[in-house]
Each structure stands twice: as C-alpha cells, then as structure tokens.
Amino acid sequence: MSQTVDRALNILPLLAEGPADLGQVAARLGVHKSTALRLLRTLHDHGLVYRQSDQRYRLGARLFALAQEAVETLDVREIAHPHLVALNEACGHTVHLAVHEDNEVLYIDKVESRYPVRMYSRIGKPVAITVAAVAKLLIADLSEPERRSIAERLDYPRYTPRSTPNAEAFLKELATVREQGWATDLGGHEESINCVGAPIHGTDGRAIAALSVSAPNVVVTAEELLTLLPLVRRTAEAITREYAGTTTTTTTAATTTPA
C-alpha cells in the first residue's frame, strides 16, 4: 500500500509541470499504463487531478482549495516564535515580529533582551512606519502604486535628526530596501536605538511579516549590530521555509556585512 501511495503522490509534481497524458505519467512512474490509469482515476475521484477533453491530466481544483485552506490556517506567529527565541539566545538583543494590517505595521511578537538596558515596545502597538526597519520591509514589498500612495499620505515626524524627512526620501529608501532585501533603523526613531531586520515570505513570495533585532547603542554600536545581519536573514529564511515550504535567495548578500 505504501508503494501505491508513493506512486500516486509522485504524479502530482509531474502534473505541476503541466498537463500530461497517460503514457507520460506511466513513463515517469516506471509502471504499466494500467497501473498509472488506476492511480489517476483514484486521484481524479478525489478532485486532485482532472482529465481534460484532450485526454491529458492536470492538477485538480480540489488540490488548490486544500492548499489555500492550509495557508489560511497557518499562524506565522506560532511558526516564527521558536526561531525568534533562538535568535534572541544567539545575540541577546530584543527580537520583534511585525505584520502590515489595516494601514498599520504592528508588533505581534517580542522576545526581550537579556540586557538591563533595552528598548521599550509592546505587542500590538503600531510602529513608526517612516523609520522602523520592519515597516520599511513590509511596505517596500508592495507594488509601486501602493508604495507611492502610502508614502504620499503619511506624516513625517522628526523623531530625531536621522528620521526620514519626506515622501521622496521614504520612497528612495523603500527602493533600496526592496533591492537589497533587508532594512535598518539607525537612530531614526530614537537616537540611542538601532535596529536591523529581514522579511518573511509567504507561499506567493510576498512578504507576510518581518523580524528585527534592536539594541541600545550603549549595549552595542550600530556597526556591531549590523554584523548580525546574516544571522537575522538566516532566521527569516528559516521561518519562510517552515511557513511557505520554500526560501528566498540571499547568497552573497546574506554572508556579507553592509558598509
């Protein structure tokens, strides 16, 4: 029975490449056409494959429905939390997880720094969109019209001399973040706090959350914090793999320290 199940499941990645006829399926599985037909009929009965008018088979609508249901039941916070804890244990600094909802970027999880001097933040609290690393990551992933619409309706409070001054500067920074795949807030919200972050991607490749590591400069300098970027990005990729069953490519950028 296990061999039958294995063969049936091997049909699905074949059809993911495109429609295939009975002979192609049998050849890929290395079985007689009668065996392949029996497997295809079983999958067809369950809606996992569909027989077209040209007698070729393709993936069935039920398979897509199941995939969507599975995605909708995933809780990124639940999946990410052990990774956030591991990242915190590795670096010792405050780790955040954030999402973009209803025109706000919100912290949905946090692991506190082990140092007595730490940044203040609260789960469920909106972040400062124009300066926060997690906000830049999530908004940078939107389409160009969406990014521009958001940038043009935001206020640009001068939290510090390093705060983003206007929409033009914000859009320019978002373009950089989009290209490089990571973001920072180096004293833009609070002069004494620095932050580096990376995106977490969903099944469609879009950023569904972002994580960051933050620390006061009395504990670690901005330059020292930036050396954690490869670890931060690897953590985000690990969460992406577990959440979406895939990963993004960060090759050279993931193993080098930004200037």
Side-chain angles (χ1 to χ4, degrees):
M1 178 62 70
S2 60
Q3 185 182 44
T4 300
V5 173
D6 183 67
R7 285 172 172 170
L9 292 177
N10 281 332
I11 292 174
L12 301 180
L14 166 62
L15 299 185
E17 299 172 6
D21 61 27
L22 178 60
Q24 290 172 310
V25 173
R28 174 67 70 90
L29 298 181
V31 300
H32 193 272
K33 285 186 179 181
S34 61
T35 300
L37 181 59
R38 184 172 65 253
L39 295 171
L40 285 165
R41 283 176 174 170
T42 300
L43 293 172
H44 184 276
D45 289 343
H46 289 276
L48 301 181
V49 305
Y50 177 78
R51 187 181 183 184
Q52 302 178 158
S53 59
D54 63 1
Q55 307 308 308
R56 294 189 303 165
Y57 293 84
R58 62 171 172 79
L59 294 179
R62 179 58 179 155
L63 186 63
F64 296 108
L66 288 171
Q68 184 60 37
E69 289 171 14
V71 170
E72 291 175 354
T73 59
L74 287 175
D75 183 345
V76 67
R77 181 183 182 278
E78 181 179 353
I79 291 171
H81 187 74
H83 297 277
L84 305 184
V85 171
L87 177 58
N88 169 266
E89 290 175 348
C91 69
H93 306 305
T94 301
V95 179
H96 287 108
L97 181 70
V99 295
H100 185 205
E101 292 182 352
D102 299 325
N103 298 318
E104 291 184 323
V105 175
L106 308 169
Y107 290 133
I108 61 170
D109 201 2
K110 175 184 180 182
V111 184
E112 285 280 12
S113 167
R114 63 169 173 254
Y115 296 98
V117 180
R118 61 186 65 159
M119 71 170 290
Y120 170 76
S121 60
R122 187 175 70 248
I123 294 175
K125 180 181 179 181
V127 308
I129 287 183
T130 60
V131 292
V134 288
K136 295 172 191 174
L137 288 161
L138 293 168
I139 296 174
D141 191 65
L142 300 176
S143 67
E144 194 279 334
E146 289 175 306
R147 297 197 303 272
R148 183 164 295 278
S149 176
I150 290 174
E152 290 176 350
R153 71 169 180 262
L154 286 173
D155 294 323
Y156 291 86
R158 296 305 299 266
Y159 301 106
T160 78
R162 295 185 178 183
S163 298
T164 308
N166 51 49
E168 182 181 358
F170 189 50
L171 287 168
K172 183 177 180 180
E173 184 161 10
L174 292 179
T176 299
V177 169
R178 187 180 178 89
E179 180 178 357
Q180 67 191 14
W182 50 270
T184 62
D185 169 13
L186 304 180
H189 188 220
E190 298 179 54
E191 288 191 83
S192 62
I193 301 292
N194 299 303
C195 176
V196 60
I200 296 163
H201 296 91
T203 54
D204 60 358
R206 300 295 300 273
I208 49 95
L211 67 85
S212 65
V213 170
S214 304
N217 54 27
V218 296
V219 174
V220 60
T221 67
E223 291 75 18
E224 291 169 332
L225 187 68
L226 285 170
T227 65
L228 296 176
L229 177 60
L231 177 60
V232 171
R233 298 189 76 186
R234 286 196 298 271
T235 301
E237 289 180 353
I239 299 169
T240 293
R241 283 194 298 272
E242 190 169 341
Y243 182 89
T246 185
T247 185
T248 52
T249 301
T250 56
T251 56
T252 304
T255 58
T256 58
T257 302

